[in-house]
Amino acid sequence: MDNEVIKIEEHPWAPFVPDGAKVLIMGTFPPGDHRWSMDFYYPNPTNDFWRIMGLIFLGDKNALYDESMKRFDLDAVKSLMTEKHIALNDTARKVRRLKGNASDKYLEIVEPVPLYDLLESMPDCRTVATTGEKAAGVVADLTGTEVPKMGECVEAPGGLSVWRMPSTSRAYPMKAEVKAEYYRRLLEATGIL
């Protein structure tokens, strides 16, 4: 299908920036809304992001998931991110889904997020972490850095540390508990843990 006829999607949410944000965690772009269990970042109930946060901060990978409602607890999610000073946004502001699905492989980024403008609203944030390979590539392009190896960081202009974390998608073949260890090291390095 010609890119001219594939619909351009705009990101559905504003950046989530709690007061005193110390780290900005960035994915690529949300899945289609038919996959959402809540109207917020990492909405797909099969995605491991909120399970990872539950493991790290609450000792239970299902602590932020309401099994009876088959959805994440949005109030608990926002409260935890606010308490821990973790900001959330994605690397793409506008995209085309070349195959009509959520796969980063078939996601064309039409307009990336203006990263440095976003960081201006977070004076305490010196760390950006990406959840997956495509997001890491976008941030590398925006910062003029190399893509770090998984679980490692590179230094970007302005004293910014850019980390690459494993994808939180279930399609990425790594157990949530193992992914959580990567994220735990990141959060320890930022002083959040």
Side-chain angles (χ1 to χ4, degrees):
M1 185 180 276
D2 189 316
N3 285 356
E4 296 298 318
V5 296
I6 298 175
K7 178 183 154 202
I8 294 176
E9 290 182 52
E10 291 193 36
H11 202 288
W13 307 305
F16 179 77
V17 182
D19 287 342
K22 294 180 181 175
V23 63
L24 170 61
I25 298 180
M26 305 184 82
T28 307
F29 199 80
D33 59 7
H34 65 286
R35 298 226 182 259
W36 298 1
S37 74
M38 64 178 173
D39 193 9
F40 194 63
Y41 292 89
Y42 304 98
N44 190 331
T46 65
N47 189 287
D48 282 331
F49 186 82
W50 298 115
R51 287 177 178 82
I52 290 166
M53 295 298 113
L55 279 165
I56 292 170
F57 294 117
L58 304 166
D60 177 0
K61 71 179 181 179
N62 293 313
L64 299 168
Y65 189 73
D66 183 338
E67 184 63 43
S68 67
M69 299 294 287
K70 301 291 186 215
R71 65 183 341 150
F72 294 106
D73 181 336
L74 181 56
D75 291 337
V77 159
K78 286 184 173 182
S79 178
L80 181 64
M81 294 297 95
T82 298
E83 175 190 330
K84 300 302 181 183
H85 306 286
I86 297 173
L88 301 168
N89 197 38
D90 287 317
T91 57
R93 186 179 265 177
K94 294 180 182 178
V95 300
R96 284 190 186 98
R97 294 184 199 275
L98 302 180
K99 298 284 185 181
N101 61 32
S103 172
D104 279 358
K105 183 177 180 182
Y106 302 111
L107 200 63
E108 175 192 357
I109 296 178
V110 175
E111 182 183 323
V113 69
L115 179 61
Y116 284 102
D117 290 347
L118 176 59
L119 289 169
E120 283 183 17
S121 69
M122 295 180 259
D124 298 327
C125 182
R126 304 282 14 115
T127 304
V128 171
T130 59
T131 61
E133 184 176 5
K134 184 149 192 142
V138 173
V139 170
D141 286 346
L142 293 172
T143 58
T145 60
E146 295 293 317
V147 174
K149 293 180 182 176
M150 192 173 3
E152 295 183 10
C153 72
V154 295
E155 296 303 313
L160 186 68
S161 295
V162 178
W163 291 72
R164 177 181 167 195
M165 298 288 99
S167 171
T168 59
S169 169
R170 286 275 176 93
Y172 189 74
M174 183 184 282
K175 289 184 179 184
E177 292 80 3
V178 177
K179 292 177 187 180
E181 289 309 308
Y182 280 93
Y183 285 82
R184 183 181 306 279
R185 287 193 294 274
L186 159 71
L187 296 169
E188 287 171 349
T190 62
I192 290 173
L193 280 179

